[in-house]
């Protein structure tokens, strides 16, 4: 083999070695860049995961607030319905009280002054009155007993003052119109005369 051919082979080997070294150098940064891409990819996945978890927590909080708002709404609605029901009940019962007053006035006549032909009619009238009072009592209505009690503007309506020596001032001497309670609330105040001895 000639010197020239030996030099050419050596140059080719040298070139091949350099090419191989260059390929290896190119592979190294490429491997490093692949690791960097993987790290960036992992960071992106992590930030997406955190964002999703944050959004999920916000939706959970929103759901809990909506649930609490709905529970409050239900409670408020039930309370409003109950108040409305009590108001309607009170209005109906209040409208029945004048009928009860008329029954009581009609039944105040002494029974000895009533003739035999009218007595059975009055007895029937008394039965209807008692039935009406029974219905009112079932509904929670009770009649006030204010005579002798101290005057209280929550339960009594004073229409006049009277002098009664044996009674204390500001006590109730006489009832002009009966007062009624619905539970512990005043349905209709009693119209009364109040003692005032000067």
């Amino acid at each position: 083999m000639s010197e020239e051919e030996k030099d050419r082979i050596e140059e080719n080997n040298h070139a091949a070695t350099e090419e191989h070294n260059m390929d290896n150098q190119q592979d190294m940064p490429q491997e490093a860049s692949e690791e960097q891409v993987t790290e960036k990819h992992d960071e992106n996945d992590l930030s997406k995961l955190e964002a999703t978890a944050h959004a999920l927590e916000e939706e959970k909080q929103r759901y809990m607030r909506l649930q609490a708002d709905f529970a409050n709404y239900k409670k408020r609605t039930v309370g409003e319905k109950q108040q409305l029901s009590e108001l309607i009940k009170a209005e109906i019962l209040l409208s029945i009280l004048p009928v009860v007053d008329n029954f009581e006035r009609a039944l105040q006549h002494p029974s000895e002054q009533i003739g035999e032909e009218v007595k059975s009619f009055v007895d029937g009238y008394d039965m209807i009155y008692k039935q009406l009072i029974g219905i009112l009592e079932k509904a929670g209505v009770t009649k006030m007993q204010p005579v002798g009690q101290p005057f209280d503007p929550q339960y009594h309506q004073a229409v006049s003052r009277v002098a009664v020596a044996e009674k204390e001032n500001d006590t109730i001497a006489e009832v002009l119109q009966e007062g009624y309670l619905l539970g512990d609330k005043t349905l209709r105040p009693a119209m009364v005369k109040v003692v005032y001895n000067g």
Side-chain angles (χ1 to χ4, degrees), residues 33-47:
S33 66
E34 281 178 17
E35 285 177 17
Q36 288 172 349
V37 167
T38 306
E39 283 177 21
K40 282 184 182 178
H41 189 62
D42 288 346
E43 285 174 11
N44 284 345
D45 285 351
L46 189 62
S47 65

Side-chain angles (χ1 to χ4, degrees), residues 130-188:
K130 285 177 181 168
Q131 187 178 14
L132 187 57
I133 292 296
I135 290 167
L136 290 174
E137 285 173 356
K138 270 188 186 175
V141 177
T142 52
K143 190 186 283 191
M144 293 181 193
Q145 303 296 330
V147 176
Q149 299 293 319
F151 175 77
D152 186 341
Q154 282 188 327
Y155 303 109
H156 313 125
Q157 181 182 352
V159 276
S160 66
R161 289 177 163 182
V162 289
V164 182
E166 61 274 5
K167 291 190 178 179
E168 292 182 26
N169 282 346
D170 295 327
T171 56
I172 295 162
E174 186 183 342
V175 176
L176 301 174
Q177 185 183 55
E178 297 292 346
Y180 292 89
L181 296 169
L182 178 56
D184 57 351
K185 294 179 183 173
T186 302
L187 181 61
R188 183 178 78 181

Side-chain angles (χ1 to χ4, degrees), residues 21-163:
N21 287 342
M22 283 179 65
D23 284 347
N24 283 344
Q25 284 175 357
Q26 284 177 355
D27 284 349
M28 291 292 285
Q30 204 168 16
E31 286 174 15
S33 66
E34 281 178 17
E35 285 177 17
Q36 288 172 349
V37 167
T38 306
E39 283 177 21
K40 282 184 182 178
H41 189 62
D42 288 346
E43 285 174 11
N44 284 345
D45 285 351
L46 189 62
S47 65
K48 283 180 184 177
L49 189 63
E50 286 173 356
T52 305
H54 183 69
L56 183 65
E57 185 61 32
E58 281 181 356
E59 287 302 313
K60 184 180 173 185
Q61 292 297 325
R62 186 170 168 263
Y63 172 74
M64 289 171 73
R65 280 193 301 272
L66 283 171
Q67 209 171 19
D69 288 346
F70 184 67
N72 290 338
Y73 167 76
K74 275 175 64 176
K75 217 181 284 183
R76 189 172 59 247
T77 304
V78 167
E80 286 171 0
K81 279 183 183 178
Q82 191 173 355
Q83 283 179 340
L84 185 61
S85 169
E86 287 173 7
L87 183 66
I88 291 168
K89 179 181 175 181
E91 284 181 15
I92 291 169
L93 293 171
L94 195 56
S95 66
I96 293 172
L97 294 180
V99 177
V100 174
D101 294 338
N102 290 335
F103 269 102
E104 288 175 347
R105 276 191 283 275
L107 291 169
Q108 281 177 353
H109 292 289
S111 56
E112 56 274 356
Q113 292 179 359
I114 299 169
E116 284 299 318
E117 63 279 353
V118 183
K119 189 166 177 12
S120 62
F121 176 74
V122 172
D123 288 343
Y125 202 73
D126 187 43
M127 282 174 57
I128 295 168
Y129 167 73
K130 285 177 181 168
Q131 187 178 14
L132 187 57
I133 292 296
I135 290 167
L136 290 174
E137 285 173 356
K138 270 188 186 175
V141 177
T142 52
K143 190 186 283 191
M144 293 181 193
Q145 303 296 330
V147 176
Q149 299 293 319
F151 175 77
D152 186 341
Q154 282 188 327
Y155 303 109
H156 313 125
Q157 181 182 352
V159 276
S160 66
R161 289 177 163 182
V162 289

